[in-house]
């Protein structure tokens, strides 16, 4: 998985080529690079990946075909995300978060009495 080869009569795995970074393949015995799929937004991979890795909770990536975890950015203040997020979710009306990288909705704090958002 994560590799392919169109060669016939191959005598070693040296003929196998890696799926490029930002792509993956879970197929064993793949015969072309067409079996390598692009990682979706919220995920990334290095070369020869059999699966894409998730951006962690509290992070997001809008990029497809991302090649490293560096493309995953922290959610800004007032937002949160679970793992594999392409975007961050806003805190609900009446709640706020002044910190970055929040991972769940309960991290958003209710506005104090006599205030609103």
């Amino acid at each position: 998985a994560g590799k392919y080869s169109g060669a016939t009569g191959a005598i070693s795995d040296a003929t196998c080529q890696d799926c490029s970074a930002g792509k993956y393949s879970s197929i064993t015995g793949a015969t072309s690079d067409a079996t390598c799929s692009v990682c979706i937004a919220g995920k990334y991979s290095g070369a020869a990946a059999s699966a894409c890795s998730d951006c962690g909770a509290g992070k997001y990536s809008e990029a497809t075909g991302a090649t490293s975890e560096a493309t995953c950015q922290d959610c800004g203040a007032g937002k949160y995300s679970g793992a594999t997020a392409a975007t961050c979710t806003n805190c609900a009306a009446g709640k706020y978060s002044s910190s970055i990288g929040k991972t769940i909705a309960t991290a958003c704090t209710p506005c104090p009495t006599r205030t609103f958002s």
Side-chain angles (χ1 to χ4, degrees):
K3 296 179 179 267
Y4 64 92
S5 175
T8 57
I11 59 170
S12 99
D13 65 359
T15 61
C16 300
Q17 298 184 14
D18 294 343
C19 289
S20 60
K23 294 185 174 187
Y24 72 99
S25 177
S26 59
I27 299 170
T28 302
T31 59
S32 78
D33 65 350
T35 61
C36 300
S37 301
V38 174
C39 294
I40 62 171
K43 294 180 175 260
Y44 63 93
S45 78
S50 59
C52 297
S53 299
D54 296 339
C55 285
K59 296 183 177 282
Y60 75 101
S61 175
E62 295 175 345
T64 57
T67 59
S68 76
E69 188 176 14
T71 61
C72 302
Q73 301 174 20
D74 287 328
C75 290
K79 298 176 182 265
Y80 65 93
S81 78
T84 317
T87 61
C88 298
T89 303
N90 289 326
C91 289
K95 296 187 175 194
Y96 72 96
S97 173
S98 57
S99 301
I100 63 170
K102 293 299 182 180
T103 60
I104 54 175
T106 56
C108 299
T109 306
C111 292
T113 304
R114 295 185 295 270
T115 64
F116 64 94
S117 73

